Amino acid sequence: MQKLIENSPIKWHHILFYSLLVAIIPHTGFWFDLNNDWPRWSTYALEHGLSQIYNSDTNYMPIYLHGLYWFGKLHGTKELIYANSFQLKYFFLLFDFAGAIAIAYALRKYYIRQFAEYMLLFNMGYLYCTTIWGQLDSVPTTIVILAFICLFERKLLWAALFCTLSIYAKLQAIVFLPFFAILLVYQLGVKFDKWVILKMLGVSIITQLIILSPFILGGTFTNFLKVVRESVGFFPRVSVNAFNIWYLFLKQDPTSINDTLIFAGLTYKKWGFIMFFTLSAITFLPLIIKTLHKIFNKESLDQNYYAQLWLTAATIAIVFFFVNTQMHERYSFPAIPMYFAYALLSNRYSIFALTSIAHLMNVDGTNKYLGLNPFRPEYTAILFGIILCISLIRIYHNFKLKLIN
């Protein structure tokens, strides 16, 4: 038992620091979610059953609704649900810790820095969404991170579980599906096993059935599908407080412009898609070529490849946030832990630091809880643009050096 405790990635100081944060984080947050939507949906699930929650006005994916149902069951009454809705932060905070610890533990053989996870856990840019804003972005992000780690280490059944969970946690996780596919192609290309494929499919199907069974049996599955269909276009604005490229392109406030308006023959929404898919292709190309090279030459995945993977994933997160319409201020969050993983592997921390600052400038510039960003949104947008440019330069510089070598 003592050896098991010593080898565990979770240490006593993690528990101590988590307890300290629980004791001091404010009980306030983004009112519309923390004190309105979420307790209302939790109450609805308590009174009508989880299977009927899609008959309410919820627009969330199922995993979080499962959590709201059990949150309501835990408190038992509408009054207690509303009075204690701030406690949802404690649940989200577990995922902040899980993501930081998972990265530090999985990559520990590649670096020598002690207590590396605290570069995230002492990072206000990383913790702000949970501790101040009271949002759930750490949940899908940590699940995606676990999927990457499991795919890299060929723990394919666990990978199938986390890949499936990530989509049902937040639909935006779909932007990371190509990474799941690339790593899976490598693992199957090096060692093909049809039984493993069937087992992975089985894990994915069973996971989906467990998640969706209340809504299938309760007759509200079509309402769930409606939420999925309408998720794109739910906030038809050029920006939903994301300080991104649209603040540099447009003179008018992007939050006040409908993204279905036409510019140069196309809607702003379609221009966002064009920029996203173009930049994504540019970003992905070196990783795809490097993966194919390793498959054909029967090479194992090494530290340089791992660094390229995390750098590319973080860059895609920035691209998604920076050029698409309908982006919220929090949608750059996944880039922070992914750039952190890249930093540990490459010993280059500048992009990680810049992204932590830019994200904090955006979320607090919107929320204004700490008053950290008195500047115009355009300055934050420029910083995100610099981060994207540096990332692309790094991706292609590393790729060029590898080809020369």
Side-chain angles (χ1 to χ4, degrees), residues 48-317:
H48 300 88
L50 174 61
S51 65
Q52 301 304 308
I53 196 169
Y54 277 114
N55 283 331
S56 69
D57 64 341
T58 185
N59 62 331
Y60 272 54
M61 293 297 283
I63 285 181
Y64 186 54
L65 299 181
H66 279 264
L68 286 180
Y69 170 72
W70 287 108
F71 181 79
K73 293 288 284 186
L74 176 66
H75 289 287
T77 67
K78 176 180 178 179
E79 291 73 22
L80 287 175
I81 291 172
Y82 273 86
N84 296 294
S85 61
F86 68 89
Q87 293 176 359
L88 288 166
K89 287 185 177 184
Y90 306 157
F91 173 71
F92 305 151
L93 190 60
L94 290 172
F95 284 84
D96 288 285
F97 272 72
I101 294 170
I103 290 172
Y105 186 77
L107 275 58
R108 64 194 183 281
K109 63 182 178 182
Y110 301 113
Y111 67 90
I112 58 174
R113 189 181 299 274
Q114 294 291 317
F115 306 111
E117 62 271 26
Y118 285 99
M119 296 178 70
L120 281 177
L121 297 178
F122 286 161
N123 185 334
M124 183 52 68
Y126 180 68
L127 290 180
Y128 190 100
C129 278
T130 294
T131 59
I132 305 299
W133 194 269
Q135 286 286 353
L136 57 93
D137 296 78
S138 63
V139 177
T141 298
T142 295
I143 296 172
V144 168
I145 286 168
L146 292 171
F148 282 175
I149 292 171
C150 290
L151 281 165
F152 185 87
E153 297 182 354
R154 200 179 171 83
K155 297 177 180 178
L156 297 184
L157 298 187
W158 283 106
L161 173 65
F162 290 125
C163 289
T164 303
L165 289 176
S166 68
I167 301 301
Y168 285 96
K170 195 165 189 176
L171 202 57
Q172 284 85 347
I174 199 171
V175 301
F176 298 109
L177 284 181
F179 293 96
F180 302 158
I182 289 169
L183 284 170
L184 184 59
V185 166
Y186 169 82
Q187 297 292 6
L188 296 178
V190 171
K191 183 180 179 182
F192 182 81
D193 188 334
K194 64 180 181 180
W195 295 114
V196 169
I197 297 175
L198 291 174
K199 289 177 182 178
M200 290 180 70
L201 287 173
V203 168
S204 179
I205 291 170
I206 291 171
T207 302
Q208 293 182 69
L209 287 175
I210 292 173
I211 294 170
L212 296 174
S213 59
F215 317 115
I216 295 172
L217 297 175
T220 57
F221 181 70
T222 55
N223 292 359
F224 156 71
L225 295 178
K226 182 181 178 183
V227 166
V228 173
R229 286 195 304 269
E230 295 178 353
S231 60
V232 178
F234 193 83
F235 295 102
R237 292 290 180 268
V238 171
S239 172
V240 188
N241 297 317
F243 298 165
N244 57 18
I245 197 171
W246 298 104
Y247 277 89
L248 304 178
F249 280 176
L250 303 174
K251 293 182 179 179
Q252 188 178 346
D253 182 359
T255 62
S256 66
I257 302 174
N258 195 302
D259 71 348
T260 59
L261 294 178
I262 303 294
F263 173 78
L266 294 173
T267 64
Y268 288 115
K269 182 178 178 179
K270 288 182 179 178
W271 279 117
F273 283 154
I274 290 171
M275 288 190 288
F276 171 68
F277 286 114
T278 301
L279 286 171
S280 293
I282 293 170
T283 304
F284 269 118
L285 185 61
L287 183 66
I288 293 172
I289 293 174
K290 184 177 287 189
T291 303
L292 293 175
H293 176 81
K294 286 190 173 294
I295 292 173
F296 293 145
N297 292 279
K298 304 293 184 181
E299 295 177 1
S300 59
L301 300 181
D302 55 15
Q303 182 175 347
N304 289 331
Y305 180 91
Y306 214 2
Q308 183 90 356
L309 171 71
W310 289 108
L311 175 60
T312 305
T315 305
I316 287 294

